[in-house]
PDB file of all heavy atoms in Angstrom:
ATOM      1  N   ASP A 147      11.682 -91.495  94.086  1.00 43.00           N
ATOM      2  CA  ASP A 147      12.137 -91.704  95.391  1.00 43.00           C
ATOM      3  C   ASP A 147      13.241 -92.712  95.510  1.00 43.00           C
ATOM      4  O   ASP A 147      14.233 -92.624  96.206  1.00 43.00           O
ATOM      5  CB  ASP A 147      10.935 -91.999  96.384  1.00 43.00           C
ATOM      6  CG  ASP A 147      11.407 -92.079  97.765  1.00 43.00           C
ATOM      7  OD1 ASP A 147      11.878 -91.037  98.294  1.00 43.00           O
ATOM      8  OD2 ASP A 147      11.253 -93.113  98.476  1.00 43.00           O
ATOM      9  N   ALA A 148      13.097 -93.788  94.695  1.00 45.00           N
ATOM     10  CA  ALA A 148      14.109 -94.871  94.662  1.00 45.00           C
ATOM     11  C   ALA A 148      15.397 -94.318  94.083  1.00 45.00           C
ATOM     12  O   ALA A 148      16.544 -94.604  94.612  1.00 45.00           O
ATOM     13  CB  ALA A 148      13.609 -96.010  93.856  1.00 45.00           C
ATOM     14  N   GLN A 149      15.296 -93.475  93.063  1.00 43.00           N
ATOM     15  CA  GLN A 149      16.548 -92.901  92.500  1.00 43.00           C
ATOM     16  C   GLN A 149      17.250 -92.039  93.522  1.00 43.00           C
ATOM     17  O   GLN A 149      18.454 -91.971  93.622  1.00 43.00           O
ATOM     18  CB  GLN A 149      16.208 -92.078  91.210  1.00 43.00           C
ATOM     19  CG  GLN A 149      15.852 -92.883  90.038  1.00 43.00           C
ATOM     20  CD  GLN A 149      15.464 -92.016  88.864  1.00 43.00           C
ATOM     21  OE1 GLN A 149      14.839 -90.990  89.060  1.00 43.00           O
ATOM     22  NE2 GLN A 149      15.861 -92.423  87.659  1.00 43.00           N
ATOM     23  N   ARG A 150      16.400 -91.278  94.334  1.00 42.00           N
ATOM     24  CA  ARG A 150      16.980 -90.345  95.216  1.00 42.00           C
ATOM     25  C   ARG A 150      17.749 -91.116  96.334  1.00 42.00           C
ATOM     26  O   ARG A 150      18.800 -90.704  96.813  1.00 42.00           O
ATOM     27  CB  ARG A 150      15.923 -89.411  95.850  1.00 42.00           C
ATOM     28  CG  ARG A 150      16.508 -88.369  96.744  1.00 42.00           C
ATOM     29  CD  ARG A 150      15.360 -87.294  97.097  1.00 42.00           C
ATOM     30  NE  ARG A 150      14.311 -87.961  97.883  1.00 42.00           N
ATOM     31  CZ  ARG A 150      13.060 -87.868  97.586  1.00 42.00           C
ATOM     32  NH1 ARG A 150      12.671 -87.154  96.517  1.00 42.00           N
ATOM     33  NH2 ARG A 150      12.172 -88.421  98.366  1.00 42.00           N
ATOM     34  N   ARG A 151      17.100 -92.186  96.812  1.00 47.00           N
ATOM     35  CA  ARG A 151      17.749 -93.002  97.833  1.00 47.00           C
ATOM     36  C   ARG A 151      19.054 -93.637  97.367  1.00 47.00           C
ATOM     37  O   ARG A 151      19.965 -93.865  98.107  1.00 47.00           O
ATOM     38  CB  ARG A 151      16.817 -94.112  98.373  1.00 47.00           C
ATOM     39  CG  ARG A 151      15.631 -93.536  99.210  1.00 47.00           C
ATOM     40  CD  ARG A 151      14.993 -94.659 100.027  1.00 47.00           C
ATOM     41  NE  ARG A 151      14.570 -95.732  99.090  1.00 47.00           N
ATOM     42  CZ  ARG A 151      13.401 -95.871  98.521  1.00 47.00           C
ATOM     43  NH1 ARG A 151      12.487 -94.884  98.752  1.00 47.00           N
ATOM     44  NH2 ARG A 151      13.076 -96.906  97.797  1.00 47.00           N
ATOM     45  N   ALA A 152      19.009 -94.066  96.070  1.00 45.00           N
ATOM     46  CA  ALA A 152      20.133 -94.792  95.484  1.00 45.00           C
ATOM     47  C   ALA A 152      21.346 -93.867  95.231  1.00 45.00           C
ATOM     48  O   ALA A 152      22.497 -94.311  95.220  1.00 45.00           O
ATOM     49  CB  ALA A 152      19.732 -95.528  94.257  1.00 45.00           C
ATOM     50  N   ASP A 153      21.023 -92.603  94.932  1.00 41.00           N
ATOM     51  CA  ASP A 153      22.056 -91.686  94.497  1.00 41.00           C
ATOM     52  C   ASP A 153      21.819 -90.366  95.151  1.00 41.00           C
ATOM     53  O   ASP A 153      20.879 -89.637  94.764  1.00 41.00           O
ATOM     54  CB  ASP A 153      22.158 -91.583  93.008  1.00 41.00           C
ATOM     55  CG  ASP A 153      23.306 -90.770  92.507  1.00 41.00           C
ATOM     56  OD1 ASP A 153      23.942 -90.021  93.284  1.00 41.00           O
ATOM     57  OD2 ASP A 153      23.619 -90.785  91.308  1.00 41.00           O
ATOM     58  N   GLU A 154      22.661 -89.982  96.147  1.00 39.00           N
ATOM     59  CA  GLU A 154      22.406 -88.704  96.824  1.00 39.00           C
ATOM     60  C   GLU A 154      22.606 -87.476  95.907  1.00 39.00           C
ATOM     61  O   GLU A 154      22.153 -86.360  96.223  1.00 39.00           O
ATOM     62  CB  GLU A 154      23.423 -88.563  97.999  1.00 39.00           C
ATOM     63  CG  GLU A 154      24.850 -88.525  97.659  1.00 39.00           C
ATOM     64  CD  GLU A 154      25.731 -88.431  98.831  1.00 39.00           C
ATOM     65  OE1 GLU A 154      25.190 -88.478  99.951  1.00 39.00           O
ATOM     66  OE2 GLU A 154      27.010 -88.312  98.703  1.00 39.00           O
ATOM     67  N   ASN A 155      23.301 -87.668  94.747  1.00 35.00           N
ATOM     68  CA  ASN A 155      23.352 -86.568  93.842  1.00 35.00           C
ATOM     69  C   ASN A 155      22.120 -86.216  93.118  1.00 35.00           C
ATOM     70  O   ASN A 155      22.024 -85.286  92.344  1.00 35.00           O
ATOM     71  CB  ASN A 155      24.453 -86.913  92.780  1.00 35.00           C
ATOM     72  CG  ASN A 155      25.850 -86.914  93.415  1.00 35.00           C
ATOM     73  OD1 ASN A 155      26.131 -86.143  94.238  1.00 35.00           O
ATOM     74  ND2 ASN A 155      26.649 -87.801  92.900  1.00 35.00           N
ATOM     75  N   LEU A 156      21.066 -87.039  93.261  1.00 34.00           N
ATOM     76  CA  LEU A 156      19.772 -86.807  92.624  1.00 34.00           C
ATOM     77  C   LEU A 156      18.743 -86.229  93.579  1.00 34.00           C
ATOM     78  O   LEU A 156      17.513 -86.293  93.318  1.00 34.00           O
ATOM     79  CB  LEU A 156      19.243 -88.132  92.017  1.00 34.00           C
ATOM     80  CG  LEU A 156      20.098 -88.766  90.935  1.00 34.00           C
ATOM     81  CD1 LEU A 156      19.525 -90.067  90.412  1.00 34.00           C
ATOM     82  CD2 LEU A 156      20.272 -87.781  89.722  1.00 34.00           C
ATOM     83  N   ASP A 157      19.175 -85.641  94.673  1.00 37.00           N
ATOM     84  CA  ASP A 157      18.176 -85.001  95.572  1.00 37.00           C
ATOM     85  C   ASP A 157      17.309 -83.977  94.903  1.00 37.00           C
ATOM     86  O   ASP A 157      16.243 -83.704  95.356  1.00 37.00           O
ATOM     87  CB  ASP A 157      18.969 -84.343  96.695  1.00 37.00           C
ATOM     88  CG  ASP A 157      19.447 -85.378  97.709  1.00 37.00           C
ATOM     89  OD1 ASP A 157      19.026 -86.542  97.726  1.00 37.00           O
ATOM     90  OD2 ASP A 157      20.346 -85.060  98.529  1.00 37.00           O
ATOM     91  N   HIS A 158      17.782 -83.350  93.867  1.00 37.00           N
ATOM     92  CA  HIS A 158      17.077 -82.312  93.211  1.00 37.00           C
ATOM     93  C   HIS A 158      15.983 -82.838  92.319  1.00 37.00           C
ATOM     94  O   HIS A 158      15.141 -82.052  91.821  1.00 37.00           O
ATOM     95  CB  HIS A 158      18.041 -81.429  92.362  1.00 37.00           C
ATOM     96  CG  HIS A 158      18.713 -82.182  91.203  1.00 37.00           C
ATOM     97  ND1 HIS A 158      19.858 -82.916  91.397  1.00 37.00           N
ATOM     98  CD2 HIS A 158      18.347 -82.388  89.979  1.00 37.00           C
ATOM     99  CE1 HIS A 158      20.195 -83.481  90.275  1.00 37.00           C
ATOM    100  NE2 HIS A 158      19.347 -83.165  89.395  1.00 37.00           N
ATOM    101  N   ASP A 159      15.932 -84.057  92.046  1.00 41.00           N
ATOM    102  CA  ASP A 159      14.938 -84.614  91.036  1.00 41.00           C
ATOM    103  C   ASP A 159      13.485 -84.352  91.499  1.00 41.00           C
ATOM    104  O   ASP A 159      12.635 -84.035  90.635  1.00 41.00           O
ATOM    105  CB  ASP A 159      15.100 -86.098  90.811  1.00 41.00           C
ATOM    106  CG  ASP A 159      16.293 -86.376  89.764  1.00 41.00           C
ATOM    107  OD1 ASP A 159      16.908 -85.347  89.464  1.00 41.00           O
ATOM    108  OD2 ASP A 159      16.411 -87.523  89.441  1.00 41.00           O
ATOM    109  N   SER A 160      13.202 -84.599  92.746  1.00 43.00           N
ATOM    110  CA  SER A 160      11.791 -84.395  93.188  1.00 43.00           C
ATOM    111  C   SER A 160      11.291 -83.002  92.993  1.00 43.00           C
ATOM    112  O   SER A 160      10.237 -82.733  92.383  1.00 43.00           O
ATOM    113  CB  SER A 160      11.620 -84.899  94.585  1.00 43.00           C
ATOM    114  OG  SER A 160      10.289 -84.801  95.003  1.00 43.00           O
ATOM    115  N   PRO A 161      12.001 -81.989  93.546  1.00 58.00           N
ATOM    116  CA  PRO A 161      11.477 -80.652  93.314  1.00 58.00           C
ATOM    117  C   PRO A 161      11.435 -80.123  91.887  1.00 58.00           C
ATOM    118  O   PRO A 161      10.542 -79.458  91.488  1.00 58.00           O
ATOM    119  CB  PRO A 161      12.375 -79.710  94.135  1.00 58.00           C
ATOM    120  CG  PRO A 161      13.618 -80.605  94.404  1.00 58.00           C
ATOM    121  CD  PRO A 161      13.169 -82.028  94.495  1.00 58.00           C
ATOM    122  N   LEU A 162      12.410 -80.560  91.092  1.00 67.00           N
ATOM    123  CA  LEU A 162      12.424 -80.186  89.644  1.00 67.00           C
ATOM    124  C   LEU A 162      11.248 -80.830  89.008  1.00 67.00           C
ATOM    125  O   LEU A 162      10.552 -80.251  88.088  1.00 67.00           O
ATOM    126  CB  LEU A 162      13.692 -80.627  89.069  1.00 67.00           C
ATOM    127  CG  LEU A 162      14.973 -79.857  89.455  1.00 67.00           C
ATOM    128  CD1 LEU A 162      16.156 -80.355  88.671  1.00 67.00           C
ATOM    129  CD2 LEU A 162      14.757 -78.387  89.304  1.00 67.00           C
ATOM    130  N   HIS A 163      10.934 -82.052  89.331  1.00 71.00           N
ATOM    131  CA  HIS A 163       9.788 -82.744  88.723  1.00 71.00           C
ATOM    132  C   HIS A 163       8.481 -82.067  89.084  1.00 71.00           C
ATOM    133  O   HIS A 163       7.579 -81.893  88.273  1.00 71.00           O
ATOM    134  CB  HIS A 163       9.811 -84.244  89.123  1.00 71.00           C
ATOM    135  CG  HIS A 163       8.681 -85.040  88.421  1.00 71.00           C
ATOM    136  ND1 HIS A 163       7.547 -85.372  89.052  1.00 71.00           N
ATOM    137  CD2 HIS A 163       8.704 -85.597  87.224  1.00 71.00           C
ATOM    138  CE1 HIS A 163       6.811 -86.053  88.194  1.00 71.00           C
ATOM    139  NE2 HIS A 163       7.495 -86.221  87.120  1.00 71.00           N
ATOM    140  N   GLU A 164       8.315 -81.662  90.341  1.00 77.00           N
ATOM    141  CA  GLU A 164       7.185 -80.923  90.737  1.00 77.00           C
ATOM    142  C   GLU A 164       7.038 -79.657  90.058  1.00 77.00           C
ATOM    143  O   GLU A 164       5.965 -79.271  89.688  1.00 77.00           O
ATOM    144  CB  GLU A 164       7.202 -80.777  92.289  1.00 77.00           C
ATOM    145  CG  GLU A 164       6.966 -82.053  93.085  1.00 77.00           C
ATOM    146  CD  GLU A 164       6.953 -81.854  94.531  1.00 77.00           C
ATOM    147  OE1 GLU A 164       7.050 -80.635  95.011  1.00 77.00           O
ATOM    148  OE2 GLU A 164       6.768 -82.810  95.339  1.00 77.00           O
ATOM    149  N   LEU A 165       8.133 -79.003  89.856  1.00 79.00           N
ATOM    150  CA  LEU A 165       8.101 -77.669  89.138  1.00 79.00           C
ATOM    151  C   LEU A 165       7.673 -77.894  87.722  1.00 79.00           C
ATOM    152  O   LEU A 165       6.874 -77.140  87.143  1.00 79.00           O
ATOM    153  CB  LEU A 165       9.490 -77.033  89.193  1.00 79.00           C
ATOM    154  CG  LEU A 165       9.726 -75.751  88.357  1.00 79.00           C
ATOM    155  CD1 LEU A 165       8.753 -74.656  88.770  1.00 79.00           C
ATOM    156  CD2 LEU A 165      11.143 -75.295  88.547  1.00 79.00           C
ATOM    157  N   PHE A 166       8.163 -78.909  87.052  1.00 81.00           N
ATOM    158  CA  PHE A 166       7.794 -79.280  85.700  1.00 81.00           C
ATOM    159  C   PHE A 166       6.278 -79.501  85.683  1.00 81.00           C
ATOM    160  O   PHE A 166       5.622 -78.928  84.790  1.00 81.00           O
ATOM    161  CB  PHE A 166       8.514 -80.561  85.298  1.00 81.00           C
ATOM    162  CG  PHE A 166       8.189 -81.038  83.919  1.00 81.00           C
ATOM    163  CD1 PHE A 166       8.565 -80.336  82.808  1.00 81.00           C
ATOM    164  CD2 PHE A 166       7.508 -82.239  83.778  1.00 81.00           C
ATOM    165  CE1 PHE A 166       8.246 -80.875  81.482  1.00 81.00           C
ATOM    166  CE2 PHE A 166       7.193 -82.734  82.555  1.00 81.00           C
ATOM    167  CZ  PHE A 166       7.504 -81.981  81.358  1.00 81.00           C
ATOM    168  N   GLU A 167       5.734 -80.218  86.566  1.00 85.00           N
ATOM    169  CA  GLU A 167       4.262 -80.465  86.634  1.00 85.00           C
ATOM    170  C   GLU A 167       3.549 -79.278  86.854  1.00 85.00           C
ATOM    171  O   GLU A 167       2.436 -79.028  86.253  1.00 85.00           O
ATOM    172  CB  GLU A 167       3.948 -81.599  87.703  1.00 85.00           C
ATOM    173  CG  GLU A 167       4.534 -82.968  87.419  1.00 85.00           C
ATOM    174  CD  GLU A 167       4.286 -83.936  88.516  1.00 85.00           C
ATOM    175  OE1 GLU A 167       3.993 -83.497  89.683  1.00 85.00           O
ATOM    176  OE2 GLU A 167       4.390 -85.181  88.280  1.00 85.00           O
ATOM    177  N   ASP A 168       3.995 -78.348  87.754  1.00 85.00           N
ATOM    178  CA  ASP A 168       3.296 -77.139  87.999  1.00 85.00           C
ATOM    179  C   ASP A 168       3.249 -76.200  86.772  1.00 85.00           C
ATOM    180  O   ASP A 168       2.250 -75.487  86.543  1.00 85.00           O
ATOM    181  CB  ASP A 168       3.884 -76.374  89.227  1.00 85.00           C
ATOM    182  CG  ASP A 168       3.571 -77.090  90.509  1.00 85.00           C
ATOM    183  OD1 ASP A 168       2.810 -77.990  90.535  1.00 85.00           O
ATOM    184  OD2 ASP A 168       4.087 -76.543  91.609  1.00 85.00           O
ATOM    185  N   GLN A 169       4.373 -76.169  86.061  1.00 88.00           N
ATOM    186  CA  GLN A 169       4.376 -75.365  84.833  1.00 88.00           C
ATOM    187  C   GLN A 169       3.383 -75.861  83.803  1.00 88.00           C
ATOM    188  O   GLN A 169       2.803 -75.100  83.056  1.00 88.00           O
ATOM    189  CB  GLN A 169       5.740 -75.296  84.244  1.00 88.00           C
ATOM    190  CG  GLN A 169       6.738 -74.534  85.120  1.00 88.00           C
ATOM    191  CD  GLN A 169       8.184 -74.473  84.585  1.00 88.00           C
ATOM    192  OE1 GLN A 169       8.511 -75.355  83.793  1.00 88.00           O
ATOM    193  NE2 GLN A 169       9.004 -73.642  85.068  1.00 88.00           N
ATOM    194  N   LEU A 170       3.162 -77.179  83.781  1.00 91.00           N
ATOM    195  CA  LEU A 170       2.198 -77.746  82.816  1.00 91.00           C
ATOM    196  C   LEU A 170       0.784 -77.576  83.372  1.00 91.00           C
ATOM    197  O   LEU A 170      -0.118 -77.348  82.511  1.00 91.00           O
ATOM    198  CB  LEU A 170       2.496 -79.252  82.607  1.00 91.00           C
ATOM    199  CG  LEU A 170       3.704 -79.571  81.824  1.00 91.00           C
ATOM    200  CD1 LEU A 170       3.979 -81.074  81.812  1.00 91.00           C
ATOM    201  CD2 LEU A 170       3.590 -79.067  80.397  1.00 91.00           C
ATOM    202  N   ALA A 171       0.588 -77.676  84.656  1.00 90.00           N
ATOM    203  CA  ALA A 171      -0.781 -77.519  85.249  1.00 90.00           C
ATOM    204  C   ALA A 171      -1.374 -76.197  85.011  1.00 90.00           C
ATOM    205  O   ALA A 171      -2.623 -76.053  84.984  1.00 90.00           O
ATOM    206  CB  ALA A 171      -0.703 -77.837  86.743  1.00 90.00           C
ATOM    207  N   THR A 172      -0.542 -75.213  84.810  1.00 91.00           N
ATOM    208  CA  THR A 172      -1.018 -73.845  84.612  1.00 91.00           C
ATOM    209  C   THR A 172      -1.083 -73.439  83.109  1.00 91.00           C
ATOM    210  O   THR A 172      -1.454 -72.309  82.808  1.00 91.00           O
ATOM    211  CB  THR A 172      -0.188 -72.831  85.399  1.00 91.00           C
ATOM    212  OG1 THR A 172       1.163 -72.964  84.938  1.00 91.00           O
ATOM    213  CG2 THR A 172      -0.350 -73.054  86.894  1.00 91.00           C
ATOM    214  N   ALA A 173      -0.692 -74.309  82.199  1.00 93.00           N
ATOM    215  CA  ALA A 173      -0.536 -73.966  80.818  1.00 93.00           C
ATOM    216  C   ALA A 173      -1.914 -73.906  80.033  1.00 93.00           C
ATOM    217  O   ALA A 173      -2.770 -74.678  80.261  1.00 93.00           O
ATOM    218  CB  ALA A 173       0.392 -74.948  80.136  1.00 93.00           C
ATOM    219  N   ASP A 174      -1.958 -72.929  79.186  1.00 95.00           N
ATOM    220  CA  ASP A 174      -2.981 -72.850  78.200  1.00 95.00           C
ATOM    221  C   ASP A 174      -2.588 -73.394  76.804  1.00 95.00           C
ATOM    222  O   ASP A 174      -3.365 -73.789  75.952  1.00 95.00           O
ATOM    223  CB  ASP A 174      -3.523 -71.411  78.028  1.00 95.00           C
ATOM    224  CG  ASP A 174      -4.058 -70.844  79.271  1.00 95.00           C
ATOM    225  OD1 ASP A 174      -5.187 -71.178  79.598  1.00 95.00           O
ATOM    226  OD2 ASP A 174      -3.301 -70.115  79.937  1.00 95.00           O
TER     227      ASP A 174
END
């Protein structure tokens, strides 16, 4: 969140990070 506030070009970081976590949460 601090990165996102500091740099508007990083708005995508949060959803991409959640996607990364979701792909791991479903992994065998």
Side-chain angles (χ1 to χ4, degrees):
D147 187 58
Q149 287 178 323
R150 189 171 61 231
R151 288 197 307 269
D153 187 345
E154 62 181 7
N155 291 325
L156 297 178
D157 284 345
H158 62 274
D159 276 9
S160 181
L162 291 183
H163 185 260
E164 289 182 2
L165 174 57
F166 177 71
E167 292 176 345
D168 283 358
Q169 290 177 344
L170 290 174
T172 54
D174 298 282

